[in-house]
Amino acid sequence: SLSEDDTIEMSGLVSFHNGSLSGELSSSEVLSNLITSNELKHATISIPSPFSDSDYISLYISNSKSKNDVKIVNGFPFIKCNITLSTRILSNSVNSNYMSDENIAVIEEYAASYFKSHIENYLYKTSTTLKSDVSKFGKIAIKHFKTWNDWTEYDWLDKYQNAFFDVNVNVKLKSSYLVIGASKS
């Protein structure tokens, strides 16, 4: 049995449509699913450094909140995800000063763009390719229908294939537990 402190390496997730396997999600897509579904407890992820093409920055996501809203526009779902990620830098390169105010702003902006891109790709893949509402936006959309019959006639999964998404990500970099990389010999 697993405790809360156990680490699990994610390798993917499968998706179903009408009872049949429709595809698989990669580990980054699983992370996007956990973020948009408000199920992410914490995670460590390495992203490319905005300062050097050959370096990466390890970020610890300590808190994730996605405020999701669904509207029906011209008969199709318009899904808005406002995401806030609280992060800490776990490691960086030798001789880098990531903790200056200017560099913190650069990292926050870059990380927000990085996560936004991955989440948008995940959302469009699940809606158009997998035809599966993996993030369960239908639970939010159902409020727009007066009766169960109206909901079933709308045929959510059919309409979800043509959904539009507006994803906003705000990354907040908190004071950090920095681990400086080994010096070069």
Side-chain angles (χ1 to χ4, degrees):
S1 80
L2 296 173
S3 74
E4 191 174 294
D5 295 328
D6 288 337
T7 300
I8 301 171
E9 185 172 322
M10 296 183 296
S11 60
L13 179 73
V14 295
S15 172
F16 291 88
H17 176 70
N18 291 334
S20 298
L21 178 68
S22 60
E24 296 179 34
L25 298 176
S26 68
S27 57
S28 68
E29 291 165 339
V30 171
L31 180 65
S32 295
N33 169 263
L34 292 171
I35 290 170
T36 59
S37 301
N38 283 308
E39 294 181 14
L40 181 67
K41 303 293 184 221
H42 51 83
T44 302
I45 183 169
S46 292
I47 66 169
S49 171
F51 306 108
S52 169
D53 291 340
S54 61
D55 289 334
Y56 287 84
I57 299 173
S58 291
L59 294 178
Y60 176 73
I61 303 171
S62 59
N63 191 10
S64 169
K65 178 68 179 157
S66 183
K67 184 177 178 188
N68 303 321
D69 187 42
V70 178
K71 293 184 181 338
I72 306 301
V73 178
N74 295 326
F76 296 101
F78 176 72
I79 300 167
K80 189 167 190 165
C81 301
N82 286 314
I83 300 164
T84 301
L85 301 173
S86 296
T87 64
R88 296 180 189 269
I89 294 179
L90 293 180
S91 67
N92 66 344
S93 305
V94 175
N95 299 326
S96 60
N97 180 12
Y98 289 168
M99 299 316 293
S100 72
D101 289 342
E102 183 179 305
N103 286 347
I104 287 173
V106 169
I107 294 168
E108 287 175 336
E109 184 178 322
Y110 180 81
S113 174
Y114 179 88
F115 285 111
K116 175 184 168 101
S117 173
H118 281 272
I119 291 167
E120 286 175 340
N121 289 340
Y122 152 78
L123 291 171
Y124 281 108
K125 177 179 179 178
T126 61
S127 65
T128 60
T129 304
L130 302 181
K131 299 173 177 51
S132 182
D133 181 11
V134 181
S135 292
K136 302 175 185 155
F137 295 119
K139 288 185 175 186
I140 301 168
I142 199 168
K143 70 181 178 186
H144 296 292
F145 300 87
K146 293 181 181 179
T147 67
W148 180 252
N149 193 41
D150 291 344
W151 170 249
T152 57
E153 284 180 15
Y154 179 74
D155 194 4
W156 171 254
L157 287 179
D158 181 59
K159 300 291 192 290
Y160 183 67
Q161 296 175 51
N162 296 303
F164 295 93
F165 299 96
D166 180 18
V167 177
N168 297 297
V169 179
N170 181 20
V171 172
K172 295 180 181 178
L173 184 59
K174 295 183 176 184
S175 63
S176 185
Y177 308 116
L178 280 180
V179 177
I180 306 298
S183 63
K184 295 180 182 177
S185 301

